[in-house]
């Protein structure tokens, strides 16, 4: 089902302001990363389906770090949506908008935010019950100025966007200053090399710095 702006999940995402996007190679590392992020004040994460460990990692995080809002990204098929829900995903995200997957997510009860980059994409999202959309790839697609342009015709519908792809600590404040954006997603908080190095202190430091910029 699409995520609507009057839902408790949307309110939680908007309160979090920052969603850490992770590529993990083991469940243990995912748990340690989640704890480090929480130590730094970041309480939302997206585990991408780019490694075989992603779903086991989600299960481990849900069990061992219950205060973390944990969802699944890179959902490209109906089967992956099923698997994400079975593993306990709080939400699902895709890089683009596949209407079949969006509708399947609605049928099984998985809160879902498809990716958009054009007005046509936004049309499809809105038509299929999605008020919260992923703007991807945010920077190379034209940044905040492009997002403002494609969002303008839908302002009366209350559509909101989470930018991913090129969001960094340096441009974080600019993105979050826009009323179109309740939260951002980014991989700079816990990149794969830092996780592999088990540098939990650095991940926690990055989370603290981002949290300070994001405010509430």
């Amino acid at each position: 089902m699409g995520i609507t702006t009057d839902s408790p999940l949307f309110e939680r995402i908007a309160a979090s302001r920052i969603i850490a996007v992770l590529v993990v190679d083991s469940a243990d590392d995912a748990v340690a990363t989640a704890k480090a992020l929480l130590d730094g004040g970041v309480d939302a994460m997206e585990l991408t389906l780019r490694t075989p460990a992603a779903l086991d990692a989600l299960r481990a995080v849900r069990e061992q770090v219950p205060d973390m809002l944990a969802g699944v990204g890179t959902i490209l098929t109906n089967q992956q949506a099923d698997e994400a829900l079975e593993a306990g995903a709080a939400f699902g995200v895709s890089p683009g908008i596949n209407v079949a997957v969006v509708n399947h997510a609605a049928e099984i009860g998985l809160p879902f935010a498809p990716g958009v980059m054009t007005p046509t994409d936004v049309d499809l999202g809105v038509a299929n019950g999605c008020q919260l959309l992923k703007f991807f790839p945010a920077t190379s697609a034209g940044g905040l100025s492009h997002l403002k342009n494609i969002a303008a015709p839908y302002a009366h519908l209350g559509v909101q966007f989470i930018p991913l792809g090129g969001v960094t600590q340096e441009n974080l404040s600019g993105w979050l200053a826009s009323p179109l954006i309740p939260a951002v997603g980014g991989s700079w908080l816990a990149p794969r090399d830092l996780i592999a190095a088990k540098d939990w202190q650095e991940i926690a430091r990055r989370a603290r710095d981002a949290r300070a910029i994001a405010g509430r």
Side-chain angles (χ1 to χ4, degrees), residues 59-155:
R59 294 184 184 95
V61 169
R62 290 297 302 263
E63 179 180 346
Q64 299 180 48
V65 196
D67 290 337
M68 177 62 71
L69 180 70
V72 168
T74 325
I75 294 177
L76 305 177
T77 68
N78 290 354
Q79 180 179 343
Q80 288 177 323
D82 291 335
E83 292 169 346
L85 184 65
E86 186 277 330
F91 59 87
V93 181
S94 60
I97 181 160
N98 180 326
V99 172
V101 175
V102 171
N103 289 335
H104 183 72
E107 290 171 3
I108 64 174
L110 175 67
F112 200 78
V116 301
M117 192 175 69
T118 69
T120 299
D121 295 337
V122 179
D123 273 350
L124 287 172
V126 170
N128 287 278
C130 302
Q131 272 189 307
L132 182 62
L133 301 168
K134 170 181 173 178
F135 176 48
F136 178 82
T139 299
S140 61
L144 185 56
S145 62
H146 176 70
L147 177 60
K148 288 178 178 177
N149 286 334
I150 66 169
Y154 307 94

Side-chain angles (χ1 to χ4, degrees), residues 21-31 45-62 70-75 80 83-89 91 192:
V21 179
L22 309 182
V23 179
V24 296
D25 295 291
S26 79
D28 288 344
D29 283 352
V31 168
M45 65 193 299
E46 173 195 323
L47 290 156
T48 62
L49 293 178
R50 301 184 191 180
T51 67
L55 293 175
D56 286 340
L58 173 64
R59 294 184 184 95
V61 169
R62 290 297 302 263
V72 168
T74 325
I75 294 177
Q80 288 177 323
E83 292 169 346
L85 184 65
E86 186 277 330
F91 59 87
R192 198 173 186 177

